[in-house]
Amino acid sequence: MGVRGTLVTVAPTGAETAKADAPSLPVTLDELIDTARACQQAGAAVIHVHLRDALARPTLDVGYAREVVTALRETSDLIVQLSTGGAVTDPEADRLAVLDATPDAASLTCGTVNFGDDVFLNRWAFLVELHQRMQEREIVPEFELFDLGHAAALRRLLDKHGPPYGGHVHCDLVMGVPGGMPGTAAALVAAVAMLPPEATFSATGVGRAALPVALAALAAGGHLRVGMEDTLSYAPERPVRDNAQLVERAAALADLAQRPALAPSEARDMLGIKERRPAMAGGC
Ligand code: KMH
Ligand code: ZN
């Protein structure tokens, strides 16, 4: 795979948890900015962003997405990855429109999956549309895989519609969602075996699967995603303090594995991110 360090992504908010149930969940722009700063300091290189409105409900408002992307670019070096998954209730048109905010990167889930009592719907034609729009707009996708069949769909997508912008294929295994692949080392090894040969991968385990998945991912040469989108408890009977605590633990595990957390600049090179920060674009 060529990269010696560990890419640490923080997914700080998600669409499912209520602010009332997790007071340190970042939902306002100020909270997101503070989270980005603290998580960069702790070792994150990518921030996977879900937006919340003034009442802390999930939103895909494009104007607000632009504001958040700009603010995060101005206040951190993190790669800004917007979620196109949104919430299970979001219509496809709104999920596609997120790309109009021109983030550095965006998630692209490679198939439908049962999602607890709900269904996270990702039709083939929708994946193709997302992929093509990201190619046109020079946005780097992170291919999210919730189940083994999604790895097969990813290969079909690349075979039929070509490589992503930047040329590098990076996947994120989201494991332990009720209805998706379990958060076990065996499932991780099976999923990794199905990835395109040159792909890199991160993995995240939902809830109690967080640590087993992180350890298995490192052992298999992969990267880490952590954050309150996926995990609200740090240990049994011990709620997460904040997102930075989870990033600190991920960075410590990466150190133990002798593949320390990548700086954002190293992660930009690895993923093929286009430079969009005003002070950096255009060179000197
Ligand atoms: N909130 C989930 C239904 C993504 O961000 O792209 C979907 C999700 C995936 O979180
Ligand atoms: Zn997400």
Side-chain angles (χ1 to χ4, degrees):
M1 283 181 197
V3 177
R4 296 177 65 87
T6 301
L7 176 73
V8 179
T9 297
V10 63
T13 309
E16 284 74 35
T17 299
K19 177 78 168 169
D21 293 336
S24 64
L25 195 76
V27 296
T28 67
L29 181 53
D30 285 347
E31 287 170 348
L32 270 178
I33 289 171
D34 288 347
T35 296
R37 283 200 180 113
C39 290
Q40 180 179 328
Q41 183 73 27
V46 180
I47 184 163
H48 167 83
V49 180
H50 285 255
L51 305 173
R52 298 295 181 98
D53 67 15
L55 296 176
R57 297 173 304 201
T59 176
L60 294 176
D61 182 90
V62 181
Y64 183 49
R66 276 199 199 97
E67 191 185 336
V68 169
V69 169
T70 303
L72 290 174
R73 278 205 189 114
E74 283 171 353
T75 53
S76 82
D77 291 324
L78 296 180
I79 295 165
V80 182
Q81 179 194 95
L82 288 182
S83 167
T84 66
V88 288
T89 46
D90 285 324
E92 288 178 355
D94 293 358
R95 292 170 57 191
L96 284 164
V98 163
L99 301 178
D100 294 346
T102 323
D104 302 317
S107 54
L108 193 171
T109 297
C110 291
T112 295
V113 64
N114 283 320
F115 197 87
D117 294 340
D118 297 306
V119 175
F120 181 30
L121 184 66
N122 294 284
R123 296 180 311 119
W124 171 252
F126 179 64
L127 311 192
V128 172
E129 186 68 34
L130 268 177
H131 185 57
Q132 291 179 331
R133 286 201 197 187
M134 287 197 220
Q135 285 170 324
E136 285 160 20
R137 293 167 191 214
E138 304 184 329
I139 295 167
V140 171
E142 178 176 272
F143 298 102
E144 295 213 356
L145 313 178
F146 288 70
D147 214 340
L148 289 192
H150 295 186
L154 168 61
R155 294 185 80 135
R156 181 173 174 228
L157 187 69
L158 299 173
D159 285 348
K160 284 187 181 288
H161 298 284
Y165 172 73
H168 180 79
V169 176
H170 182 72
C171 309
D172 180 42
L173 309 178
V174 184
M175 309 184 70
V177 168
M181 62 182 147
T184 61
L188 184 135
V189 169
V192 171
M194 291 178 63
L195 298 180
E198 298 306 318
T200 53
F201 74 96
S202 302
T204 182
V206 170
R208 276 188 219 153
L211 269 176
V213 166
L215 294 167
L218 285 170
H223 303 270
L224 302 177
R225 171 173 127 171
V226 296
M228 293 177 72
E229 172 166 347
D230 304 328
T231 314
L232 294 168
S233 95
Y234 190 79
E237 315 293 325
R238 193 167 154 205
V240 165
R241 183 197 72 211
D242 57 18
N243 281 285
Q245 184 188 32
L246 293 171
V247 174
E248 280 160 17
R249 180 165 71 178
L253 293 176
D255 279 341
L256 272 176
Q258 300 184 359
R259 287 175 43 223
L262 291 173
S265 59
E266 297 171 308
R268 284 171 191 277
D269 289 346
M270 173 184 142
L271 298 174
I273 301 288
K274 179 181 168 111
E275 185 55 77
R276 289 184 165 94
R277 291 169 294 178
M280 312 286 285
C284 43

